Amino acid sequence: MEIDPLVFRLSIFILSIFIGYYVVWSVTPSLHTPLMSVTNAISSVIIVGAIIAGLAGNSDTIFNTSSIFGFLAISLAAINIFGGFLVTQRMLAMYKKKKKDK
Amino acid sequence: MLSANLSAIFYLISGVLFILALRGLSSPETSRQGNFFGILGMIIAVVVTFFSIGNFSTGFAVVLIFLLIGGLIGAFIAYKIPMTAMPELVAGFHSLVGLAAVFVAIAAFLNPEAFNLGSPGNIKLGSLIEMSIGAAVGAITFSGSIIAFLKLQGIMSGSPITFKGQHPLNALILISIIVITYLLCSTQSSNLFWILLVISFLIGFLLIIPIGGADMPVVISMLNSYSGWAAAGIGFTLENTALIITGALVGSSGAILSYIMCKGMNRSFFNVILGGFGATEQSASSQNREQRPVKSGNADDAAFLMKNASSVIIVPGYGMAVAQAQHALREMVDTLKKNEIKVSYAIHPVAGRMPGHMNVLLAEANVPYDEVFELEEINNDFANADVAFVIGANDVTNPVAKTDPQSPIYGMPVLDVEKCKSVLFVKRSLSPGYAGIDNDLFYKENTLMLFSDAKKMTEDITKNL
């Protein structure tokens, strides 16, 4: 009997939770704020779904209710992606070691 | 057009890059590289999506326009936002992830063909369940984050909002969410889908209003976690590995942060979530507080004490963020260091309004991160230090947490500030902190209270050094 693909996705999901668990525990507490902003950015990979919805219409019906929600979601996710990664980068650039270079 | 298998492999690669992005954060040296991996993973995911759809007609241009609009707004915010506003920003970003998840779920519900999920009114059962979960959790994340944002921004009062029957009402709504999801899956009725969204928005709102300002570190981490679970739910709907992996990573990351924050306050997660903390105690303690003698001093006294010290430990808290005193503080420390005084910083896990809040502010003020220590690392050093300089922190230094089993904060890990030879406590007044309890430290023999704005006091001390 074939295994339902859902089971594979569930396996990936469960294993990723464990990866997340171990990886996040190893994050140094001083970087917890960048951790939050970067997780924010990467969870916006949901933009993939938004793009699919946005491109679903054919050339006559680019704007239908479904694709409009898709377009809006693209913008929302893009705010997060650009904002999240850039603000993380800005924060991380500030973490410096003790050194007298000015 | 990319084949489904090939794009699945690319999505897997981008999932792995996201794991590496989080892995990089284990130390500041590798963190920037980690962030780069994250960006790369995102680019791969987006480009692969374009190629797997293979539709580069007018619709593609529209997508790019919306992408660009969002990207410009995001970039603008990222460059303009002051570091002190980071908790609000993160809460705001969470709300956007939640709303995006809701929108994607709506789009998929209205046009399931585009996602290979069946046809309207006849969506595959599994997909419909996943979609409903993604939409409901996304809606909760959205409205909850909006409330958190308003509270942090000060637009809404930070004090808990409670009313009679709050918990039964919330329980009722949560149960009805499950019931409606069940009915939705059996009837495929679009009305039920909209009702599900509306009550999910409502419950997100209701869940966060009873939680007070200083519990925000837990709330933000929790919403971080929710945004991940919402993404994972959508990931299952779209059968997209990158989304599933990311959702799981973010979900567990937020959960761990919530756990760390709760432990830092010695409170259970449910105690925080049920809310109302600090609302009732506050009035009680202000009535029966006896007048006890306090030693207060000025910048001159403080400068004198510090000049004669050989080691100083700085204890920053939310007050430092409010007064934007981090730069003034670093200037003071620079002057101290010129006088051969050893200075280090002690950070309590729940100092500030979000995990790691203080570290970011100190980093912004060019404080090297190897001078900044966590509670466990530095707590034994207080006994050997000459001066503890408490700036904007309160409850996290209260010795009552160790001595008085009656106290609401009893058992909370605190910084052993009172073990220092002398304590300088910068504070505007003797008012109790968030927990609504008096700080015994104010009345200790070796404590000198500096009643002033944190920034002004720090600047004045620097002048007197």
Side-chain angles (χ1 to χ4, degrees):
Chain A
M1 217 178 93
E2 288 266 319
I3 298 174
D4 190 327
L6 177 69
V7 177
F8 287 114
R9 285 191 283 276
L10 202 62
S11 319
I12 294 173
F13 180 63
I14 302 290
L15 291 175
S16 303
I17 292 178
F18 278 91
I19 295 173
Y21 179 86
Y22 289 107
V23 169
V24 171
W25 270 116
S26 73
V27 170
T28 163
S30 66
L31 292 176
H32 276 164
T33 299
L35 172 68
M36 300 201 89
S37 60
V38 86
T39 50
N40 230 310
I42 64 172
S43 55
S44 301
V45 73
I46 202 158
I47 197 169
V48 166
I51 293 172
I52 297 175
L55 287 179
N58 51 41
S59 45
D60 312 320
T61 58
I62 294 170
F63 294 99
N64 55 50
T65 331
S66 166
S67 73
I68 288 174
F69 275 111
F71 291 136
L72 292 177
I74 290 174
S75 281
L76 293 177
I79 295 178
N80 255 328
I81 293 171
F82 283 78
F85 280 125
L86 289 173
V87 90
T88 308
Q89 198 156 26
R90 213 181 118 197
M91 275 192 267
L92 294 176
M94 299 184 313
Y95 283 83
K96 289 185 198 89
K97 251 191 156 158
K98 199 178 337 193
K99 235 195 300 177
K100 290 274 165 268
D101 54 342
K102 279 203 179 153
Chain B
M1 203 168 149
L2 276 178
S3 79
N5 286 332
L6 195 56
S7 31
I9 287 173
F10 277 114
Y11 284 133
L12 181 64
I13 293 173
S14 89
V16 171
L17 286 168
F18 291 150
I19 296 174
L20 293 176
L22 299 195
R23 180 78 189 108
L25 291 172
S26 56
S27 99
E29 284 110 73
T30 53
S31 62
R32 269 153 279 194
Q33 192 193 25
N35 198 40
F36 171 73
F37 283 139
I39 296 172
L40 193 65
M42 187 62 72
I43 294 173
I44 292 178
V46 171
V47 171
V48 166
T49 310
F50 283 139
F51 279 104
S52 68
I53 301 173
N55 174 355
F56 293 101
S57 59
T58 342
F60 180 67
V62 179
V63 166
L64 284 188
I65 290 170
F66 277 90
L67 189 73
L68 203 67
I69 295 173
L72 284 175
I73 299 174
F76 180 77
I77 297 174
Y79 282 111
K80 285 285 169 207
I81 192 90
M83 284 299 146
T84 40
M86 212 40 81
E88 292 94 302
L89 179 76
V90 169
F93 278 169
H94 286 154
S95 74
L96 298 183
V97 179
L99 195 59
V102 171
F103 283 178
V104 172
I106 294 176
F109 186 79
L110 294 176
N111 187 4
E113 283 111 338
F115 296 86
N116 270 329
L117 306 175
S119 56
N122 189 21
I123 299 171
K124 281 188 269 179
L125 179 66
S127 314
L128 193 56
I129 298 174
E130 293 149 6
M131 203 189 290
S132 313
I133 295 174
V137 179
I140 294 173
T141 312
F142 171 70
S143 54
S145 302
I146 293 286
I147 301 298
F149 175 82
L150 294 177
K151 285 197 174 201
L152 287 164
Q153 189 72 278
I155 299 171
M156 196 170 150
S157 155
S159 53
I161 298 168
T162 49
F163 54 87
K164 242 184 148 178
Q166 193 164 26
H167 299 318
L169 177 69
N170 290 350
L172 191 74
I173 297 180
L174 285 173
I175 293 169
S176 59
I177 287 183
I178 297 170
V179 174
I180 291 176
T181 310
Y182 175 78
L183 290 177
L184 171 65
C185 293
S186 51
T187 63
Q188 305 253 351
S189 147
S190 58
N191 285 338
L192 285 173
F193 184 74
W194 300 117
I195 295 176
L196 177 70
L197 284 182
V198 170
I199 58 171
S200 301
F201 280 127
L202 187 68
I203 189 70
F205 171 77
L206 287 171
L207 280 175
I208 308 301
I209 54 168
I211 305 177
D215 284 339
M216 280 304 144
V218 180
V219 171
I220 296 193
S221 323
M222 185 185 81
L223 292 167
N224 185 235
S225 178
Y226 285 1
S227 69
W229 304 131
I234 301 293
F236 274 101
T237 319
L238 305 182
E239 309 184 342
N240 184 305
T241 343
L243 253 175
I244 295 176
I245 295 177
T246 317
L249 289 178
V250 177
S252 53
S253 159
I256 291 170
L257 289 177
S258 317
Y259 171 79
I260 295 175
M261 294 299 114
C262 286
K263 219 173 115 225
M265 298 192 287
N266 189 40
R267 293 172 55 199
S268 77
F269 184 67
F270 286 102
N271 181 296
V272 176
I273 295 310
L274 291 177
F277 189 75
T280 43
E281 289 99 325
Q282 201 140 9
S283 51
S285 72
S286 50
Q287 284 162 5
N288 55 26
R289 199 188 322 146
E290 78 249 67
Q291 287 292 319
R292 285 197 273 172
V294 187
K295 277 199 291 182
S296 79
N298 55 26
D300 207 11
D301 305 330
F304 178 78
L305 264 173
M306 284 207 255
K307 229 186 293 181
N308 292 308
S310 60
S311 71
V312 173
I313 299 180
I314 315 253
V315 182
Y318 182 56
M320 180 186 81
V322 174
Q324 307 249 17
Q326 67 271 28
H327 298 280
L329 181 67
R330 209 250 320 149
E331 276 162 33
M332 184 186 93
V333 170
D334 283 351
T335 322
L336 288 175
K337 280 196 208 148
K338 267 182 218 141
N339 293 320
E340 309 279 297
I341 299 166
K342 185 176 167 280
V343 186
S344 38
Y345 298 80
I347 313 267
H348 191 277
V350 294
R353 285 290 186 265
M354 72 183 293
H357 192 185
M358 291 299 119
N359 303 81
V360 170
L361 292 183
L362 292 176
E364 187 201 9
N366 277 322
V367 173
Y369 60 81
D370 37 11
E371 289 175 8
V372 183
F373 299 94
E374 302 300 315
L375 174 88
E376 303 86 38
E377 297 173 316
I378 201 168
N379 227 3
N380 293 327
D381 297 355
F382 280 107
N384 305 320
D386 296 313
V387 175
F389 186 73
V390 183
I391 174 166
N394 187 358
D395 289 338
V396 296
T397 62
N398 196 339
V400 161
K402 290 176 287 191
T403 55
D404 179 9
Q406 304 300 320
S407 164
I409 61 167
Y410 181 71
M412 168 171 145
V414 287
L415 292 158
D416 296 334
V417 172
E418 77 282 357
K419 291 190 180 150
C420 266
K421 289 203 188 72
S422 44
V423 177
L424 295 169
F425 208 117
V426 187
K427 203 170 179 310
R428 283 164 176 279
S429 70
L430 274 182
S431 62
Y434 171 68
I437 41 168
D438 221 5
N439 192 339
D440 258 10
L441 196 59
F442 298 165
Y443 312 104
K444 293 269 182 202
E445 189 62 16
N446 56 354
T447 305
L448 189 67
M449 297 299 293
L450 306 167
F451 292 113
S452 166
D453 173 73
K455 189 174 177 189
K456 195 173 169 300
M457 177 53 73
T458 320
E459 282 165 352
D460 288 349
I461 293 174
T462 315
K463 275 182 218 143
N464 282 301
L465 275 169

